[in-house]
Amino acid sequence: MAVQEQDLVGKPPRASLVNDPKVRGLFYQVVLVAAVVFLGWEIVHNTIVNLEKRNISSGFDFLSITAGFGIIQSVIDYSETASYGRALMVGVYNTIIVAFVGIILATIIGFIVGVARLSNNWVISKLAYCYIEIVRNIPLLLQIFFWYFAALRAVPDAREEPLSLFGVVFLNIGGLWAPKPIFESGSSIVVAALIAGIVIAFIVKRWAHKRQMATGEQFPVFWTAFGLIIGLPVIAYLVTGMPISLEHPEFVNEGPILRRGFQIGIGTNVIPEFIALLLALSVYTASFIAEIVRAGIQAVSHGQTEAAHALGIRHGPTLRLVIIPQAMRVIIPPLTSQYLNLTKNSSLAVAIAYPDLVSVGGTVLNQTGQAIEVIGIWMLVYLSLSLATSAFMNWYNQRMALVER
Amino acid sequence: MKTKILPILLGAAMGVAATTGANAAKLDDVKAKGFVQCGVSQGLPGFSNPDSDGNWSGIDVDYCRALAAAIFDDPQAVKFTPLSAKERFTALQSGEVDVLSRNTTWTATRDTGLGLNFAGVNYYDGQGFMVRKSLGVTSALELSGARVCTNTGTTTELNVADYFRANNMPYEIVAFEKADEVVQAYDAKRCDVYTTDASGLYAQRLKLTNPGEHMVLPEIISKEPLGPVVQQGDDQWFNIAKWTLFAMVNAEELGVTSANVEEMKGSDNPSIKRLLGTEGAYGEDMGLSNDWVVRIVKHVGNYGETFDRNVGPDTPLGISRGLNALWSNGGIQYAPPVR
């Protein structure tokens, strides 16, 4: 008896390995990993075998072959003699441009509508309400078609008198035509002055903040910054002898009909496919952002406003210094999802001939037949863009997060 | 729970493995399922176009029906899969369709790099340009500075780039995924020029608001031999696809039509006897019955009949035979003999 009792107290009786939870857990983990690895290998192996069997060429060599097709919008040098890889890069840049501008525009519209939705003015709040309910309940593709086909037919033809904004910017079926800045020698000084202005304004802001913390004295930071950022480049521009000139779009009204209208390559042309896609994406996403903003502001308890007013803070600063910083903590995480959605939705561009990654990639896929490689590139690019957006927003979220002491 | 996931994963892996061996002997697969799965366009009048009841017609559709008639003696034993220019080869490569009959140009890349086999040419086409008459343009060489609408993922996109570059003319290309969107954009005057295969231009012109305001320019800038396509690796199926087309051309050449095919069976002409299977066993060698051509011609007609019915001068498209006439009539449609 005594021996047995001692055994029970000292070491627990050793269970068989089969019943040991640690061993079992480890065993199943290993089996699971092996199964996943096997499955992955099997898929890759099968694909390769099947491709070989059907005489379909594979590999990434096609990226250096001449593409031979034109692309209507490209921010990097591209011509028909460039390679497929270059064509895909054009697509990547076009996707980034429309996503980036779309995110900025959607955020601005979304914040305005979100705040308007909470307005005490009945008309403004109901207008915002209607906007949100209509826009977010119509499929995005239909909205893209609406902006492209319906709005496109409403503007003048390429050869008719275009719609003009202050005689500087024009709109017709060929898109938006604006002056193009031409940088001559010496213009780098102006750009340097602009950068210097921004940097100095930033330093002044930090200094003013420190001084206010220490002495309570305020400094007119806004006007100083305004003067620095606008003033410095303007002075540099005048001193260096105005090295930047504007090239206005040229509208030809006579001669052969095909040569009439705005001339390709003179001035800046924003193609209507871009405008339609940008409008559709930002108007659609803005309706979701508006609701997120409303939720964020309403999440801040009304006591905060009352407390601020009790301290004698005016309405504007209350919103700017008390409400918004707290609301941002609620707003940012869902906002990130909307940014990701917008980026991914930009792939609907293919429906209206905007040469984004999916559209250009589709052409490459068809000309080369390398479906798996092209789809792999698509996934990789969208994944990278989404992860980059997430990383940035997470960083911003951490900055805005409540600092607990 | 973990114990239950494992068999599923393994099962899935085995499933992937099992599909490897299943793509041989397409004819047996087709006979087993009872119909031919045929890849067609998303709507190109004269070639493959659905009517309001969903019935497909056109020269490409007739080819699929001929294939079904040869195998099943039933031209209705076909299911159609509408495919965009971009999707078509992937659909064929993956075996989603048995045959692709979708106004597809025969090129070296497609024949080799994509693992496909072209079964012949059922329409000799060439790329052309359509413009508004009001532009006052009479030749494609006057199109310098034009904005051109076309489809993505087609040879036209490459041809137009070559043509404008070779003639040193600036241009802008607006490329849509679907033909309907190209037509809409051209109709909305986004582009000055609509370019695709000439036959397609005649067909799409019917969809414009005022077809009379548009004209097809005389220049043909490329060779576009259009024909049915099958996967590589199944010679029997490739032979059936090839000879279905040849049979239709041979039938026209020998004067066998859907109206007279029954009485032609009694003909003394040895060529006709071999074609209609009253002599020899040419059908059986392919895995079909010996009266395979009778079935094709009886149900679908010969090549000339399908041409006239779908795209010929008496149809809205009004295309003359031209290159597509028989070799004996000044065209280049020529089929090897059945013997």
Side-chain angles (χ1 to χ4, degrees), chain B residues 26-257:
Chain B
K26 179 68 95 183
L27 181 63
D28 296 336
D29 290 354
V30 169
K31 277 182 175 166
K33 68 181 173 183
F35 60 88
V36 178
Q37 191 78 44
C38 180
V40 290
S41 77
Q42 290 162 318
L44 180 65
F47 286 80
S48 43
N49 201 35
D51 65 12
S52 51
D53 299 325
N55 297 317
W56 288 83
S57 67
I59 195 167
D60 285 343
V61 166
D62 277 352
Y63 171 79
C64 295
R65 296 207 188 283
L67 201 57
I71 300 168
F72 300 109
D73 198 15
D74 175 11
Q76 302 301 329
V78 195
K79 288 193 179 167
F80 296 101
T81 307
L83 297 166
S84 76
K86 218 166 90 176
E87 299 159 349
R88 54 186 164 179
F89 299 121
T90 316
L92 183 63
Q93 285 168 339
S94 64
E96 191 188 330
V97 296
D98 302 320
V99 59
L100 182 71
S101 182
R102 192 206 170 280
N103 48 294
T104 299
T105 307
W106 187 348
T107 68
T109 322
R110 292 171 177 180
D111 213 357
T112 56
L114 267 60
L116 306 178
N117 271 330
F118 279 79
V121 178
N122 70 342
Y123 190 95
Y124 287 98
D125 211 338
Q127 185 175 340
F129 296 104
M130 179 159 65
V131 294
R132 287 191 162 66
K133 286 179 182 163
S134 60
L135 282 185
V137 171
T138 52
S139 154
L141 290 167
E142 296 165 30
L143 291 179
S144 180
R147 288 164 310 167
V148 184
C149 276
T150 190
N151 277 85
T152 59
T154 56
T155 47
T156 51
E157 217 178 339
L158 302 182
N159 293 333
V160 76
D162 287 352
Y163 184 77
F164 277 83
R165 216 146 43 94
N167 290 299
N168 227 342
M169 303 191 291
Y171 74 107
E172 265 187 359
I173 187 106
V174 189
F176 294 82
E177 189 177 17
K178 289 190 180 168
D180 278 345
E181 284 146 15
V182 187
V183 176
Q184 256 186 306
Y186 172 72
D187 214 13
K189 298 193 181 174
R190 171 70 180 107
C191 300
D192 307 308
V193 183
Y194 176 15
T195 182
T196 186
D197 297 345
S199 62
L201 290 178
Y202 287 106
Q204 302 292 12
R205 186 165 67 169
L206 303 175
K207 294 184 187 168
L208 296 170
T209 323
N210 287 314
E213 288 177 3
H214 305 268
M215 60 184 269
V216 176
L217 296 175
E219 282 87 354
I220 296 294
I221 63 165
S222 68
K223 291 192 286 188
E224 307 284 342
L226 311 181
V229 201
V230 296
Q231 253 181 357
Q232 280 181 10
D234 188 340
D235 289 348
Q236 185 191 33
W237 185 245
F238 181 36
N239 283 336
I240 294 172
K242 249 189 322 203
W243 283 94
T244 299
L245 185 57
F246 291 155
M248 294 170 82
V249 176
N250 278 324
E252 186 185 6
E253 195 179 329
L254 295 170
V256 182
T257 64

Side-chain angles (χ1 to χ4, degrees), chain A residues 42-102:
Chain A
E42 190 69 31
I43 289 172
V44 172
H45 175 74
N46 262 299
T47 310
I48 293 171
V49 168
N50 276 323
L51 286 179
E52 270 171 14
K53 206 162 150 195
R54 294 173 195 194
N55 301 323
I56 300 170
S57 44
S58 55
F60 286 93
D61 297 342
F62 72 97
L63 288 177
S64 55
I65 299 173
T66 305
F69 58 88
I71 300 178
I72 188 169
Q73 174 190 305
S74 94
V75 284
I76 53 175
D77 273 342
Y78 176 84
S79 73
E80 288 84 352
T81 48
S83 66
Y84 282 123
R86 189 94 184 152
L88 285 170
M89 276 317 291
V90 172
V92 172
Y93 279 116
N94 284 343
T95 293
I96 292 176
I97 291 169
V98 78
F100 185 75
V101 182

Side-chain angles (χ1 to χ4, degrees), chain A residues 6-23:
Chain A
Q6 206 180 10
D7 262 9
L8 278 173
V9 175
K11 267 193 259 167
R14 204 174 171 86
S16 80
L17 277 179
V18 179
N19 289 327
D20 186 337
K22 254 191 192 162
V23 174

